[in-house]
Amino acid sequence: MIGYNFAYLDEQTKRMIRRALLKAVAIPGHQVPFGSREMPLPYGWGTGGIQVTAAVLGRQDVLKVIDQGADDTTNAVSIRRFFARTAGVATTTHTAEATVIQTRHRIPEQALREDQIIVYQVPQPEPLSKLEPSRAETRRMHALAEYGPMHVKLYEDITRYGHIAISYDYPVMVNGRYLMSPSPIPAFDNPKLDMMPALQLFGAGREKRIYAIPPYTEVRSLDFDDHPFRATRAPHACGLCGATDSYLDEVVTDDRGGRLFVCSDTDHCETRRAAGHVGEQAMAAE
Amino acid sequence: MDETLLSARGLSLSFGPVTALADVDAELWPGEVLAIVGESGSGKTTLLNVLSGRVAADAGVVWYRDPAGRLQDVHAMPAPALRALHRSDWGFVHQNPRDNLRMNVSAGGNVGERLMAQGARHYGRIREEASAWLQQVEIDPSRMDDMPRTFSGGMLQRLQIARTLVTHPRLVFMDEPTGGLDVSVQARLLDLIRTLVARLGIAVVLVTHDLAVARLLAQRVMVMQRGRVVEQGLTDQVLDDPQHPYTQLLVSSVLQA
């Protein structure tokens, strides 16, 4: 595109972001401040993720963008088109073909490989934000690894609800050292963070923080010995492809209580259907 | 019992023209209750904050003998070590329990926090311990899952004490623990503190303006006036036979009921 640098951001900005990324990879789970730029989309739409993607994108890369697991939602479509126009890179909806995957709120069902990078959009990078209002104090807590209050929150959940009632943005310990927010992915996806072969980068644009999990790093979801972490999913099969092991979205289909549970990962669902898997609702429709 | 737990030499601190501490020495032996008395603004709370390492002094040194028997310079300790000390081996009881408690966390969670900060990761055992401590401070364990805001002032203060003592500290700093409570509640709380301290062998530095509290709890008293220690000694000796004019004034101004 004429008048713009490759992938929109100027090279100096990319350099600054790459420096922050290097530092973030060197200290897994530690939040590194960076000079977040104004981007042509509103805060909360992925300004952090889009800057990280711009900084790591090369001409040979193949980009996939998902929002809540779907390739065809507004946020995913517009960010994918943004990079197709400003960087001219190839885009795809297939997880296996992508080299860079920018995501909001999900990790693809298909296991990622060593030659892939996944970029998370993060609204609130500070996992202690709801417990401690002062950022000066939360930084001190990270520095001294004082994470007792987070366990107090889990304790309160068990006391009140009988189980740990965090269904998304479930706090994790990275490499046995830093408490980290995994971004608002469902707790269902937390086990995928652990020992993932792909490089995981996290960008928070409004909060101006970058953090990362290098490949094959231990990531543990916080829990108690007698109340271990459990990934939860809706107890149904996907209505379209019949999958019983994927994360499901609940879709209201009429005003008489009709419901459809479908894979939130659209690529996963389409791949399975192409391979001949048929779910109950899809069968009934035929 | 011949080694001091905490000793301070030559503590001085001034806030601009105001002298808060002037060349204060203090000593505390294991299992002993030391009361610091004096009127408002005499430097009692400042001394407590300096002794506990929360405020740095202009001059002087505070030594603490850790459980391994090594002497630690409280103000030269690295921040992580000092914070660890405050979380485990030391406790701090504030005048206003709301300063210390988490008001949006249940009573059990409040008591369990220090355990979890020390790495306890077994929900059932944390609850058992919390329940035992609530009983020790005479709070019905059935109130364990209630929010502190539903507790009375006296209960809040007892909850704060349970929260502080749960890690079995060797040294507790108390800043007017009975302030702001009515007289009957004060009496009960004093009785509780006295029993717990005696049973657990905790050393206490107690700041109070109330000579009756000092007489009831403390073995030794330090009287402060304008940042200086004007008189110190055994509680009964100081309060029954005050030598310094200021102490005589303090003792004579207590209302006799």
Side-chain angles (χ1 to χ4, degrees):
Chain A
M1 217 179 156
I2 299 160
Y4 284 101
N5 187 33
F6 175 77
Y8 186 77
L9 290 178
D10 61 278
E11 291 303 315
Q12 284 305 314
T13 301
K14 287 192 201 169
R15 244 176 94 155
M16 173 270 294
I17 295 173
R18 286 172 194 150
R19 270 199 205 115
L21 286 172
L22 285 174
K23 188 167 175 181
V25 170
I27 317 171
H30 173 63
Q31 301 166 46
V32 181
F34 80 109
S36 179
R37 300 290 190 251
E38 288 277 336
M39 294 302 284
L41 80 168
Y43 286 132
W45 284 53
T47 51
I50 206 171
Q51 289 179 77
V52 172
T53 302
V56 297
L57 211 57
R59 291 185 196 280
Q60 307 304 318
D61 274 316
V62 182
L63 179 70
K64 171 184 164 82
V65 184
I66 49 174
D67 170 9
Q68 305 272 8
D71 291 281
D72 53 2
T73 47
T74 315
N75 201 204
V77 169
S78 41
I79 293 176
R80 190 164 59 232
R81 197 171 53 196
F82 174 81
F83 281 115
R85 288 176 69 189
T86 58
V89 293
T91 60
T92 182
T93 60
H94 297 302
T95 305
E97 290 170 13
T99 56
V100 177
I101 301 169
Q102 182 175 333
T103 178
R104 171 173 181 265
H105 295 199
R106 269 318 301 283
I107 298 175
E109 302 289 353
Q110 188 175 356
L112 301 181
R113 301 182 310 262
E114 284 180 5
D115 60 341
Q116 294 178 309
I117 297 176
I118 181 163
V119 178
Y120 298 79
Q121 300 171 197
V122 181
Q124 176 50 263
E126 180 49 73
L128 299 163
S129 64
K130 291 199 186 98
L131 304 167
E132 174 54 60
S134 155
R135 286 300 170 273
E137 182 59 23
T138 57
R139 277 200 291 275
R140 203 170 295 134
M141 290 163 79
H142 282 295
L144 303 176
E146 274 181 13
Y147 297 133
M150 195 75 232
H151 268 91
V152 174
K153 148 87 180 126
L154 302 187
Y155 171 96
E156 286 296 288
D157 266 14
I158 300 174
T159 304
R160 257 183 245 177
Y161 311 111
H163 59 99
I164 299 171
I166 308 173
S167 53
Y168 65 95
D169 205 352
Y170 193 108
V172 293
M173 275 301 270
V174 178
N175 206 21
R177 174 59 182 85
Y178 279 98
L179 185 72
M180 191 194 89
S181 154
S183 86
I185 59 171
F188 176 84
D189 281 342
N190 269 25
K192 296 176 191 167
L193 296 164
D194 185 34
M195 289 298 177
M196 186 192 274
L199 172 63
Q200 308 179 66
L201 305 175
F202 298 77
R206 179 170 25 99
E207 305 290 329
K208 303 178 172 56
R209 289 292 182 277
I210 280 174
Y211 52 102
I213 306 175
Y216 302 109
T217 302
E218 185 202 28
V219 180
R220 262 176 33 81
S221 304
L222 291 195
D223 59 4
F224 285 101
D225 297 343
D226 48 345
H227 285 264
F229 169 82
R230 270 207 309 271
T232 50
R233 71 183 283 277
H236 299 276
C238 170
L240 299 179
C241 76
T244 53
D245 57 353
S246 65
Y247 191 73
L248 300 176
D249 284 342
E250 183 179 10
V251 184
V252 174
T253 51
D254 54 35
D255 59 359
R256 282 168 279 115
R259 268 164 179 54
L260 172 63
F261 285 92
V262 291
C263 294
S264 94
D265 185 339
T266 52
D267 173 55
H268 180 71
C269 201
E270 277 159 22
T271 311
R272 277 177 55 84
R273 272 184 287 162
H277 297 279
V278 185
E280 244 171 60
Q281 265 91 345
M283 205 140 20
E286 274 170 19
Chain B
M1 291 297 229
D2 50 358
E3 286 188 319
T4 55
L5 187 66
L6 193 75
S7 63
R9 287 280 169 276
L11 294 180
S12 297
L13 177 61
S14 47
F15 302 111
V18 182
T19 306
L21 296 176
D23 198 23
V24 173
D25 293 349
E27 248 140 29
L28 185 72
W29 278 268
E32 177 193 42
V33 180
L34 170 68
I36 304 170
V37 300
E39 62 191 2
S40 295
S42 59
K44 306 186 299 276
T45 300
T46 305
L47 178 58
L48 196 69
N49 285 334
V50 170
L51 286 177
S52 61
R54 288 151 55 102
V55 170
D58 293 338
V61 63
V62 180
W63 294 103
Y64 171 68
R65 191 176 302 275
D66 69 13
R70 289 181 304 252
L71 276 180
Q72 306 271 4
D73 181 347
V74 170
H75 290 277
M77 276 170 97
L82 186 61
R83 279 174 79 118
L85 204 56
H86 270 284
R87 270 206 314 269
S88 54
D89 216 20
W90 288 6
F92 209 107
V93 174
H94 296 253
Q95 175 172 9
N96 182 355
R98 289 170 188 82
D99 291 346
N100 193 357
L101 295 170
R102 290 180 188 270
M103 295 306 281
N104 52 358
V105 165
S106 68
N110 267 296
V111 177
E113 175 166 355
R114 276 164 73 107
L115 294 173
M116 289 181 253
Q118 288 192 343
R121 293 290 177 265
H122 192 285
Y123 177 79
R125 281 204 282 278
I126 292 168
R127 266 183 94 72
E128 274 169 30
E129 189 102 344
S131 162
W133 271 102
L134 289 179
Q135 257 167 339
Q136 294 224 43
V137 297
E138 297 164 21
I139 295 175
D140 187 349
S142 67
R143 303 280 318 258
M144 179 146 101
D145 297 337
D146 292 352
M147 289 294 151
R149 64 171 172 275
T150 65
F151 285 17
S152 68
M155 281 173 81
L156 282 178
Q157 196 55 278
R158 277 179 280 146
L159 181 61
Q160 187 191 191
I161 289 168
R163 171 184 163 90
T164 308
L165 297 188
V166 69
T167 51
H168 300 281
R170 297 199 303 153
L171 171 58
V172 176
F173 300 93
M174 295 190 183
D175 190 1
E176 305 271 9
T178 56
L181 299 173
D182 64 53
V183 181
S184 61
V185 176
Q186 268 195 31
R188 220 172 127 200
L189 188 67
L190 285 173
D191 197 37
L192 178 77
I193 294 176
R194 191 167 57 171
T195 316
L196 283 176
V197 163
R199 192 170 70 224
L200 302 168
I202 304 168
V204 178
V205 182
L206 172 79
V207 159
T208 181
H209 63 269
D210 187 341
L211 295 182
V213 170
R215 192 190 280 278
L216 214 57
L217 291 179
Q219 283 103 40
R220 277 199 308 127
V221 172
M222 277 169 65
V223 183
M224 289 189 72
Q225 183 192 25
R226 288 191 221 103
R228 288 183 185 281
V229 178
V230 294
E231 185 166 356
Q232 59 177 315
L234 297 176
T235 307
D236 289 343
Q237 181 193 329
V238 172
L239 297 186
D240 290 344
D241 183 18
Q243 301 296 312
H244 192 273
Y246 177 70
T247 318
Q248 291 169 353
L249 181 74
L250 274 185
V251 171
S252 65
S253 55
V254 173
L255 291 175
Q256 299 296 333

